[in-house]
Amino acid sequence: MSRLVELDANGPKKLDASDIDPEKGDVAVCRCGLSASFPFCDGSHRRTAGEDPETRYVYDEDGTRREVERVVTGEPEVDDRE
C-alpha cells in the first residue's frame, strides 16, 4: 500500500505539557499522515481501513479515497537525448 500525503510543515514540532490529552493522559502522534491536527492523531486513520497492500491511494480534502495508477510529483523529466 502506498498513500500520497501532502504536508506543509518544514520543521519539527516540539511537544509540551499542553499537548497531553487531559482525559487519557497521553499524546497520540499521527502515523498515517491524514490527521487535520498533524502531528497529532485525530482518528483520521480510520479512513484507511480496508486499504489493499498492492494499491496506491490518494485521499482528497473531503476525506474520500481514490485508487491511482501512479503518483507523480513535481515536473516531469524531459528526455533531452532526442
Side-chain angles (χ1 to χ4, degrees), residues 8-78:
D8 59 10
N10 57 8
K13 166 71 175 164
K14 291 187 177 189
L15 303 180
D16 59 37
S18 68
D19 296 316
I20 296 175
D21 184 314
E23 294 177 18
K24 298 179 183 174
D26 63 7
V27 175
V29 177
C30 175
R31 293 181 56 206
C32 72
L34 299 173
S35 176
S37 59
F38 191 85
F40 303 109
C41 177
D42 67 359
S44 293
H45 59 272
R46 291 182 185 98
R47 293 183 289 173
T48 67
E51 284 184 342
D52 176 62
E54 303 300 318
T55 304
R56 292 180 184 92
Y57 298 99
V58 171
Y59 284 80
D60 295 323
E61 287 186 27
D62 65 1
T64 58
R65 174 173 62 197
R66 293 184 293 124
E67 293 182 17
V68 294
E69 285 290 319
R70 63 190 182 118
V71 174
V72 178
T73 58
E75 296 295 320
E77 290 185 26
V78 175

